[in-house]
Amino acid sequence: MTQNTQTDADFLFKEETDKIIGAFYKVYRSLGYGFLERVYQNALFFELHKQGLDCRAQYPINVYYEGSLVGEYVADIIVNGHIILELKAVNELCSEHESQLLNYLKATKMEVGLLLNFGFRPQVKRKIFRNENK
């Protein structure tokens, strides 16, 4: 008998994230490596819409500190209003990329993010940030 070590958070929006990851690999297989991030964003946006997901590209999000607006960032793609997609087209993901996505999750009410790299080899990182303020 094996023990299940996954938590409920591991399954948060699992069906949607599985669909997104499938679309990511489909785009990667078709386009391969070497395009600018914007090309991959446009192709992924198109593919996600084809699959019936509600997407917003280049979506502005305000960042607040102690109730005051301190900045704004632009999410590459927001899916169904609750999943942030951060796209990269770099050789390898690094800890700064993961930190960037976690900060986006901390700054919003969204709890799930996917870091998708259209690099030399495709990479996917799924991040969850939950807190009592969300």
Side-chain angles (χ1 to χ4, degrees), residues 73-96:
Y73 86 91
V74 178
D76 290 330
I77 300 175
I78 301 292
V79 179
N80 290 348
H82 54 248
I83 300 170
I84 297 174
L85 303 186
E86 179 62 24
L87 308 182
K88 299 294 180 192
V90 296
N91 256 353
E92 288 288 325
L93 291 175
C94 63
S95 60
E96 288 84 1

Side-chain angles (χ1 to χ4, degrees), residues 86-129:
E86 179 62 24
L87 308 182
K88 299 294 180 192
V90 296
N91 256 353
E92 288 288 325
L93 291 175
C94 63
S95 60
E96 288 84 1
H97 298 132
E98 292 184 52
S99 295
Q100 180 183 21
L101 179 57
L102 280 173
N103 285 336
Y104 293 168
L105 293 173
K106 289 176 188 176
T108 66
K109 293 185 179 193
M110 292 177 232
E111 296 178 315
V112 176
L114 291 174
L115 180 57
L116 305 171
N117 184 26
F118 290 92
F120 180 70
R121 62 182 180 86
Q123 293 175 281
V124 175
K125 301 274 183 171
R126 187 174 191 271
K127 296 293 179 185
I128 295 174
F129 182 82

Side-chain angles (χ1 to χ4, degrees), residues 7-106:
T7 66
D8 289 341
D10 293 327
F11 295 101
L12 190 61
F13 305 125
K14 182 176 180 352
E15 185 176 318
E16 290 161 295
T17 58
D18 286 350
K19 228 179 194 185
I20 293 164
I21 292 167
F24 162 73
Y25 280 111
K26 182 175 181 186
V27 169
Y28 188 87
R29 281 190 305 274
S30 178
L31 294 179
Y33 170 67
F35 288 102
L36 294 175
E37 185 181 301
R38 185 66 175 197
V39 171
Y40 295 114
Q41 179 183 311
N42 290 340
L44 183 59
F45 186 84
F46 176 78
E47 185 60 35
L48 293 171
H49 266 286
K50 255 179 45 178
Q51 293 190 23
L53 296 168
D54 178 35
C55 302
R56 305 283 184 257
Q58 295 297 298
Y59 189 82
I61 294 177
N62 292 327
V63 178
Y64 293 89
Y65 173 76
E66 293 186 356
S68 296
L69 179 63
V70 295
E72 179 182 275
Y73 86 91
V74 178
D76 290 330
I77 300 175
I78 301 292
V79 179
N80 290 348
H82 54 248
I83 300 170
I84 297 174
L85 303 186
E86 179 62 24
L87 308 182
K88 299 294 180 192
V90 296
N91 256 353
E92 288 288 325
L93 291 175
C94 63
S95 60
E96 288 84 1
H97 298 132
E98 292 184 52
S99 295
Q100 180 183 21
L101 179 57
L102 280 173
N103 285 336
Y104 293 168
L105 293 173
K106 289 176 188 176

